[in-house]
Amino acid sequence: MKGTILKASSALCVLALSGCMATGGESSLLSNDWESMSCDEINSAITSYNDANSTVDSMTSLASAVGVDTSAVDSAQAQGDNILVRAKRVARPIAEQKDCQIDW
């Protein structure tokens, strides 16, 4: 019984986190007006998205460990990784031009 509850809880957490990443998070990160943002705002945006992406990765690993099928989440994770790479590619030169301390 405990195993079934743990699997169900893990699946719900993974799906909820991947759903968050596959919806609003990506559009806001990619549509940021990086040039008008302060250094703190740039770092915060990238770091927050990276942290969320890492959380999904950890939850996916946990769900896989207890036998939950995570194939759908793997696709969302790959999309999240791609979004983060694209956002960094745009934000990094702007942050460097502003002499920001880049911590990502």
Side-chain angles (χ1 to χ4, degrees):
M1 181 68 172
K2 283 184 182 180
T4 303
I5 293 171
L6 180 59
K7 285 182 182 182
S9 297
S10 297
L12 288 173
C13 289
V14 169
L15 291 175
L17 289 169
S18 65
C20 291
M21 292 201 47
T23 56
E26 70 187 59
S27 60
S28 64
L29 188 67
L30 292 177
S31 65
N32 278 338
D33 182 7
W34 300 105
E35 292 183 12
S36 70
M37 295 171 73
S38 69
C39 291
D40 286 342
E41 291 170 330
I42 292 171
N43 280 327
S44 179
I46 295 292
T47 302
S48 294
Y49 194 86
N50 188 50
D51 291 348
N53 210 26
S54 295
T55 300
V56 170
D57 188 43
S58 296
M59 293 302 295
T60 302
S61 296
L62 175 64
S64 292
V66 296
V68 175
D69 178 19
T70 60
S71 56
V73 178
D74 294 339
S75 175
Q77 181 69 29
Q79 182 182 8
D81 291 342
N82 183 40
I83 289 164
L84 186 59
V85 167
R86 290 170 42 205
K88 284 180 178 181
R89 196 175 299 141
V90 172
R92 183 173 297 279
I94 294 167
E96 289 173 348
Q97 182 181 24
K98 294 181 175 207
D99 293 324
C100 298
Q101 285 292 108
I102 299 173
D103 57 5
W104 35 271

